[in-house]
């Protein structure tokens, strides 16, 4: 098996979802194809798409990438695509069954991490099976900080 850096060097990265690594605990990753129509390939080659707010959903026995943004291709304005349409993900049946089970049974989320062209020139999405992180409660730290300030002020005026 090739090293991670060698595999990444053959890819042309289009979009990276750094926000997902911050908001989720990533447990497992896999690669999926993405079904593109019309001018979406040309728009992707320009490299201006975003997947920061997107997610994958299981509907009707298929996985869909929802809320990904692939801008319109300006030179083909008459035949353009919808920028935020849902796009079908191409996975093997075994992978789909495993992901559907993890989502239904364990309550995990499928988050896209990267959108890229592989060494053969095919558009791929790196998906992560993730669990949401417990967000840090700032109220507790703010209370402690305020109390420490108040305590320091009281000790300063008393002494």
């Amino acid at each position: 098996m090739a090293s991670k850096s060698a595999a990444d060097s053959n890819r042309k990265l289009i979009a990276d979802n750094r926000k997902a690594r911050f908001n989720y605990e990533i447990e497992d990753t896999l690669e999926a194809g993405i079904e593109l129509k019309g001018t979406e390939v040309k728009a992707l080659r320009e490299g201006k798409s975003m997947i920061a707010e997107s997610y994958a959903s299981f509907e009707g026995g298929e996985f869909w990438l929802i809320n990904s943004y692939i801008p319109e291709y300006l030179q083909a304005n008459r035949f353009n695509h919808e920028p935020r349409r849902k796009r079908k993900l191409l996975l093997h049946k075994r992978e789909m069954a495993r992901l559907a089970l993890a989502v239904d049974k364990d309550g995990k989320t499928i988050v896209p991490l990267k959108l890229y062209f592989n060494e053969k020139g095919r558009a791929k999405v790196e998906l992560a099976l993730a669990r949401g992180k417990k967000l840090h409660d700032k109220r507790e730290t703010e209370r402690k900080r305020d109390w420490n300030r108040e305590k320091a002020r009281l000790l300063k005026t008393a002494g």
Side-chain angles (χ1 to χ4, degrees), residues 57-113:
S57 174
F58 187 68
E59 299 173 7
E62 296 175 338
F63 276 95
W64 297 87
L65 185 64
I66 298 173
N67 206 24
S68 62
Y69 178 75
I70 299 176
E72 294 177 338
Y73 186 66
L74 296 177
Q75 287 80 1
N77 61 359
R78 188 170 150 220
F79 302 105
N80 260 330
H81 58 274
E82 244 182 86
R84 290 205 182 264
R85 77 172 184 89
K86 62 183 198 176
R87 293 165 177 90
K88 185 178 176 183
L89 292 174
L90 308 172
L91 294 161
H92 293 284
K93 286 183 181 181
R94 232 182 232 165
E95 290 173 336
M96 284 196 297
R98 184 174 64 100
L99 288 174
L101 183 68
V103 169
D104 291 339
K105 184 180 174 187
D106 300 335
K108 294 182 183 174
T109 307
I110 302 170
V111 181
L113 296 178

Side-chain angles (χ1 to χ4, degrees), residues 115-127:
L115 180 62
Y116 58 91
F117 285 110
N118 67 0
E119 61 276 353
K120 294 181 181 178
R122 294 188 178 120
K124 299 285 184 174
V125 179
E126 184 178 348
L127 298 173

Side-chain angles (χ1 to χ4, degrees), residues 142-158:
E142 288 174 1
R143 258 190 250 129
K144 284 181 182 176
R145 184 189 64 211
D146 291 344
W147 169 243
N148 286 337
R149 284 183 186 166
E150 186 71 21
K151 186 170 63 172
R153 190 179 63 76
L154 290 171
L155 289 175
K156 190 184 284 186
T157 57

Side-chain angles (χ1 to χ4, degrees), residues 3-60:
S3 68
K4 190 82 168 167
S5 60
D8 287 343
S9 66
N10 294 334
R11 297 176 179 176
K12 182 187 174 213
L13 187 64
I14 300 164
D16 192 13
N17 189 0
R18 293 179 297 188
K19 192 178 191 182
R21 287 179 173 74
F22 182 75
N23 291 335
Y24 296 97
E25 286 180 36
I26 303 212
E27 295 180 5
D28 193 18
T29 61
L30 68 133
E31 183 181 72
I34 182 169
E35 186 178 75
L36 300 172
K37 295 182 180 176
T39 57
E40 290 177 338
V41 176
K42 290 181 180 183
L44 279 179
R45 294 223 185 266
E46 289 182 350
K48 296 179 182 177
S49 64
M50 291 185 303
I51 58 170
E53 299 169 358
S54 63
Y55 60 95
S57 174
F58 187 68
E59 299 173 7

